[in-house]
Amino acid sequence: WSLEDEQQFIAYIKENCAKGGDGLNFNKTFWNQVADHLAPITTSGAVKTGEACSSKWICLHTIYSVVDKVMHYSGVSWSAEHGTDITFESEGLWANIIK
């Protein structure tokens, strides 16, 4: 998956998120539709299948959930420029988060 493929993937999901309900739980038919949408515009790797799209969603959603929790953890700073910006002062806080 290239970054462009992932961006197209997420854009399609955003445009069709109502199909997943409040929990964004999409069915097999939806993932096959995503794969069909991506087929002509895939820039890297093999043609994406419905199963591959479902797996990619699980992976990206898991990463997002972790990053979102860290970003909203009291005392933690994050920026696109510096990332987590772990300092000597915040090292104990990060040790607790990692536990």
Side-chain angles (χ1 to χ4, degrees):
W1 290 78
S2 68
L3 178 59
E4 187 176 334
D5 291 343
E6 289 179 347
Q7 290 170 334
Q8 291 293 329
F9 175 74
I10 292 168
Y12 185 86
I13 293 170
K14 279 179 69 175
E15 291 170 15
N16 297 279
C17 64
K19 294 179 181 179
D22 291 338
L24 295 178
N25 296 312
F26 301 103
N27 62 28
K28 187 175 181 176
T29 300
F30 176 79
W31 293 121
N32 289 333
Q33 291 169 348
V34 174
D36 290 344
H37 172 77
L38 293 175
I41 57 176
T42 296
T43 62
S44 180
V47 174
K48 312 309 184 227
T49 65
E51 187 174 330
C53 291
S54 177
S55 293
K56 187 65 169 179
W57 173 250
I58 291 168
C59 179
L60 291 176
H61 193 264
T62 300
I63 292 168
Y64 171 82
S65 296
V66 170
V67 170
D68 186 58
K69 285 179 185 176
V70 169
M71 288 177 59
H72 292 94
Y73 194 87
S74 179
V76 173
S77 65
W78 184 89
S79 72
E81 183 178 348
H82 298 105
T84 56
D85 200 23
I86 299 172
T87 63
F88 179 75
E89 293 80 17
S90 67
E91 187 175 349
L93 177 66
W94 282 102
N96 286 334
I97 291 171
I98 292 170
K99 288 180 186 177

